Amino acid sequence: MLGTLAQHGTDTVGDGAAAAGAHVAHAAESIAAATPGAELMLAVPALTLLAAILCGLCAAFRVRSKLPAWLSVGCLGASFVCVLLTYLNLAGEHGAGGIVPRIAHGFEWLTFQWGRGGTGGEGRSFVADFSLYVDSLTCLWMLFVTGLATLIGLYASEYMVGDVKTAGYSRFFAAFNLFVLSMSCLVMADNLVLLYLGWEGVGLCSYLLIGYFYKKPSAVAAAKKAFIMNRIGDLGLSLGLMLTFVHFGTVQFNELWPLIQSYASGATPTPFIVQLIPVLFTVGAFGKSAQIPLYVWLPDAMEGPTPVSALIHAATMVTAGVYLVARFLPIYALSEWALPIVAWGGALTALLAATIGMAQFDIKRIMAYSTVSQLGYMFAGLGVLGSVGAASHVFTHAFFKALLFLACGAVMHGFAGQLDLRKLSGVQKMPGWRIVGLTMLVGCLNLAGFPLITAGFWSKDMILADAFSHPQFRAIGWILLITAGLTAYYTFRVYFRVFMGPKYFEPGDELHAAAHGDDHGEAHDAAGHVTHSAAPHGQHMAAEGALAAKGHAHDHGHADAHGVFHPHPPGWAINLVLTILALATFAAIPLFFIGDHHGWVGDLVHGSSSNPASAAAAHEAAMHGHGPHGGSFLGMDPHAVMYYVSAVVGIIGIGIAFVLHLAGRTTPATSRADALLPALGPIARAAQHKWYVDELYGVLFVTPLRVLSHIFHLIDKLLVDGLVNLFGWLPRGIGSFVRRSQSGVLHDYGLRMASGLAIILLIVLLGVLR
Amino acid sequence: MTGFASAMSALTGAATLTLGQSDFPHPMHQVTLAHYLVLSALLFGIGLIGFITRRNLIIMFLCTELMFQAAGLALIAFSRFHLNHTGETFVIFVLTIAAAEAAMALALVVLLFRRRETLDASAWSELRG
Amino acid sequence: MDLFNPLLLYAGCALGAVGVAVALPRRGINPQVVGGLIAAVAFGLIMLALARSLDHLPTVTFYIFGVIAVGGALRVISHPRPVYSALYFILTILASSGLYLLLSAEFMAFALVIVYAGAILITYLFVIMLATETPTADEVEALAEYDRYSREPIFATATGFVLIAVLGTALAGGRGAGSLTPATRYAAGRHLSELSVRVERSLREAKLIEPGEHIIVNDSLGRPAIDVEGGTILVGRSGAEAGQTEARIIPREQWPADVHLNNTEGVAFSLLSSHPGAIEIAGVILLMAMLGAVVLARKRVDLDEQARAEADRRQLVDPVVGGSS
């Protein structure tokens, strides 16, 4: 039913509010019928939990092999198959895209009843079961979460091989599986409490995995930073959750939608509380998805192993915020401020992160900033009611950003943790690195939005077009357009400098850091600095371009002297995963041309609670006719011209990168861009220092809190400890005074006893006489 | 002057003191219980003062015996006042305890004296705080 | 004419405190005689305070024994020589036993003299002799320092006499003001009926019953028909029973003087019939005290190091004097 209705819905925002209301009401009815068919989804949490437990057992039984990796990949693959089967099963019912929302009931989790009477009486109840809400949005998210988790698990099985001999390998995969479990809870929750459980669970796993190298101070600091920043956001989400229950009396999605819809007609004014809920949700989403002002944790989170960065901090967990906003788009539409906040927050984050990314030298960090920037894109898309574009971008971004991270990880893995783009050059030309280079190129093209042949181009276009189609969001459109150009520039800056140009490398410091238990191959661990003969793959034959550790060129074959470093090309698992992901980005392109609503993803989004049409209608009703209406890009229909505009912008960015960083470059450390630095002056330096945001936060929040903590410490020391000490000293003082009476001489005791007797008798006598 | 006459008769009553006589002592009704009790209190107080002031251990124990005496006198007086022999019986027990106490205390005093060659109670102040 | 005046009592106590404080041994001038006189005046004042009227002045014997007892006690605590203290304590004991006699407690009076003056005080004297440093040949008998000076005499006497004043005020009021009734009314008198043989012998000696006559035994209770409360003794021919006409009543007026439960008998009845368990306990206590004394006395004790060092030091400084200063 829903599917058909969704198919009938149009993309134009002028669709009637009443139709949207009927639409959702229908959805609720169909859920009430408890359509079966999604029970297979329950296998996902079960399988991942099983894998996590098995990995834990592996750690307990001191398994020192790749067993935990294969267990994890097996379970994750099986859960991906489950999701896929469920989707195919459900999607077949009503044609493309549309899936009737249904609930797979797991078990009764939290059920409270208080007050008198049963249903409908004065008694109230709070129900939050472990049940899965399966609709098309869920399917979309679960498909790429489980799929990417499987691939990245496979990648990690090789990447983490240096830790096989320690408990870290099992620990890594246990946390990895726990993450997928939490993520599936988050995405498939049928109520806000389960969603919150998953939300906290992914935060926990993020913390555990960022701090995987817990002996490294910077990793620990980054883990704490991520966790604390997320706490701020989580506070917003939990407050929103409570407000939801307080106002609507339920936290279950299928009961919430009709209640929310009752405001959508615009007949009754939306209460303040209902307007506040999405704002609070936004705080949570911005925390989890690293948006201004809570974005600073994500770049630091790159301290974790690269697979973690790829899966959690690029592809899946950070899109949880996007998911939250998309899922609750109906309630966002009711609020006057929530959508602008989301839109402007996203757009500004996109621009800011892009400018920072331009000035960084650490390639993983550049990717992190690009993630922040792209997440900003998604939020901007949601904010302008372009949920289809946002979801599409989430989908494509998940693949190409995972691809980019994994390629960077392969470089890092092979060059002993080297990530500085000034110390690497021409990697693609080195033997064994061709696949990495090519897949990196594919990823970069996607990120830069290279026209036509990349999926990233199509999804980015949708957001831009949506932004320009609303007159009040035109500024956002321009910001995003500029950002697109910057993105293309910094993406290809990385590619041109690391993978193209003259061959050169300096190994990273992990060469000498075997004791760190770091995430490079065991080859580097073996003797601390001599690596070649210990490499297991036998693939790291001395490259003709292999250079000495100090950067001196060695053009002969076997450099077997001590102190000579051989780069360590990736093995089959990494190459396989990179290839699959690269192909997947191409495979995603045709998906944009099937279905009725801007592709397959559009169909899925239309079939879910984040239907942009009904949301737009509701928003218009809530804004009393001042909602978004058709805008234009320089007088043209944005949906028609945006393809060309963004293609031009992307190519210009790539071109600038080519001119500045590849053409005529002879040394790895310098480029023509250096010549421009004096002209930019302090701006370049500020961008290099991430616009001093961390320092600003330090001054604004950390320092006052630290001062406050010192004050409290003083209070604790002087007042509280003083009180405690006083109670310790008081008896001692009294005692030292009273002790003098304990002379040890019998007479004194006798005298005191007699005086006491006399006094007591005196008191008794006076009492008797009176 | 009747008071004086009765005082004279009391003197004569004391003169005709005869043991075993049923009406002995005849003018006894002029002596009140309070006389004996206050006398007993005086003895007790003097014993207490002695206990506190004297430093010789033996004298101190003598003073405790003095206080026992005071208690005995009071008990006998009460016994006489209430015409009940239990008070006298109790004095027997007081004597018993006094004897036991004297035996133990004097043995201890001898021990202490052998240890320090002094009877000064102040010499034993190990319990000083 | 009510003479009782608490103020008089308090004045007496204050004066007594001064007297005792003066009499106690101390450094410098020590006018013990003056102190004794003041204490005597104070005693008189206190006794005067107790006399409610001149009618109630007690017998002279009370005064005599009271003065001796209190004076002896005062000497016990004020005499610097322990031996004399013990002897004065015997004086106090004797005076106390005199007071016991006045209170018609003859048995206790003599028991006191025997046990205290005879046994306990002799033990004290033994210990005093045992535990006093024997003066050396060329030395006049010297008093130990701890015997010559008393400790905190002012505070002690003040406290003591406050206590006396309080006790005196409390004890002199209320029923304490009541006169002592004749001693024949002792509650133990009813035990006389258990002494039928003695009573019958007294009656026979007084010719109150003829040969062949006996005190009638009350069949129902199996007791002789001696009614102390009612003051009647039933006598009759042998075989005669109570209530028979041959029975004859001997009223109290005709009883001879020794048909009367004397003090010793009364104490005996009280002790043995009312408190038999207490006697056993007292016996155990005495036995334990004896054992303890034996154990303690057999213990070999050496001078502790401090005292030995002190003794050595004294030997070095003044080998002639030795002992305590």
Side-chain angles (χ1 to χ4, degrees), chain A residues 232-285:
Chain A
I232 300 171
D234 294 348
L235 176 68
L237 178 61
S238 58
L239 287 177
L241 192 162
M242 293 172 207
L243 270 191
T244 307
F245 180 71
V246 166
H247 185 77
F248 292 112
T250 178
V251 290
Q252 288 171 293
F253 292 164
N254 57 342
E255 293 176 10
L256 268 177
W257 303 141
L259 294 170
I260 293 169
Q261 210 55 47
S262 63
Y263 294 108
S265 62
T268 52
T270 315
F272 177 73
I273 283 185
V274 178
Q275 303 213 24
L276 195 60
I277 290 169
V279 176
L280 290 171
F281 281 170
T282 306
V283 175

Side-chain angles (χ1 to χ4, degrees), chain A residues 198-218:
Chain A
W199 191 271
E200 295 293 342
V202 295
L204 170 71
C205 295
S206 163
Y207 169 79
L208 290 176
L209 287 168
I210 296 170
Y212 174 73
F213 303 115
Y214 57 88
K215 288 177 182 161
K216 210 163 124 191
S218 60

Side-chain angles (χ1 to χ4, degrees), chain C residues 200-285:
Chain C
E200 193 176 317
R201 195 174 59 231
S202 300
L203 293 176
R204 210 174 291 283
E205 282 170 7
K207 311 265 189 248
L208 283 171
I209 48 175
E210 296 154 16
E213 276 185 332
H214 298 284
I215 296 173
I216 287 174
V217 175
N218 195 335
D219 267 349
S220 60
L221 293 171
R223 282 183 193 163
I226 301 171
D227 185 0
V228 180
E229 280 82 16
T232 56
I233 298 175
L234 290 181
V235 292
R237 293 280 166 193
S238 54
E241 305 215 342
Q244 287 181 331
T245 48
E246 300 98 279
R248 190 157 55 87
I249 296 175
I250 300 175
R252 192 191 291 273
E253 293 76 32
Q254 298 178 2
W255 290 0
D258 58 349
V259 179
H260 164 256
L261 198 68
N262 61 32
N263 176 256
T264 310
E265 285 163 347
V267 171
F269 274 115
S270 169
L271 196 59
L272 294 173
S273 67
S274 304
H275 306 99
I279 297 175
E280 298 299 324
I281 293 171
V284 172
I285 288 175

Side-chain angles (χ1 to χ4, degrees), chain A residues 739-740 742-752 754 757, chain B residues 44 48 51-55 60 121-122 124-125 127-129:
Chain A
R739 191 168 55 205
R740 284 184 222 153
Q742 300 288 321
S743 61
V745 180
L746 197 54
H747 303 93
D748 292 346
Y749 298 131
L751 179 59
R752 266 177 229 115
L757 184 63
Chain B
F44 183 86
L48 186 65
F51 184 84
I52 295 168
T53 54
R54 297 306 298 265
R55 297 159 65 184
M60 286 167 73
S122 316
W124 300 93
S125 55
L127 286 176
R128 188 203 315 274

